[in-house]
Amino acid sequence: PVTRLSATQLSVLKQIAEGWNNAEIAAQRGVTLRSAERLITRTFEALGVSNDDKRNARVVATRLYIRAYGVPEPALPRSQRP
């Protein structure tokens, strides 16, 4: 499923796998929170992942990323970047 993602969606998936919340993803990408939420939703849809009573979409998406690329190095929060 990861191979179906656009470069932007793959980048967002990596940010999710690094543990960033929607607001931080928006800030890092320089977009509104709503735009980031739509991009995250489209990324989940492209992966065929959705929230339900038994599975969390972020966890499932992160596992798919790790399976394809390994565990990402955690990025520094914006407040700690040079």
Side-chain angles (χ1 to χ4, degrees), residues 10 12 32 49 61 75:
L10 184 57
V12 168
T32 65
V49 171

Side-chain angles (χ1 to χ4, degrees), residues 68-79:
Y69 300 103
V71 177
E73 290 294 320
L76 290 175
R78 289 188 319 136
S79 62

Side-chain angles (χ1 to χ4, degrees), residues 15-70:
Q15 290 173 305
I16 291 167
E18 290 171 339
W20 298 115
N21 64 33
N22 293 3
E24 186 61 28
I25 291 170
Q28 289 180 19
R29 301 189 74 74
V31 300
T32 65
L33 177 59
R34 183 70 185 122
S35 293
E37 289 169 346
R38 284 192 303 266
L39 183 52
I40 291 164
T41 297
R42 286 194 304 271
T43 301
F44 290 160
E45 288 170 354
L47 289 169
V49 171
S50 63
N51 280 321
D52 60 33
D53 291 343
K54 297 181 185 190
R55 300 183 337 164
N56 179 287
R58 290 182 98 88
V59 172
V60 174
T62 296
R63 291 184 65 179
L64 290 170
Y65 181 89
I66 290 170
R67 202 173 299 147
Y69 300 103

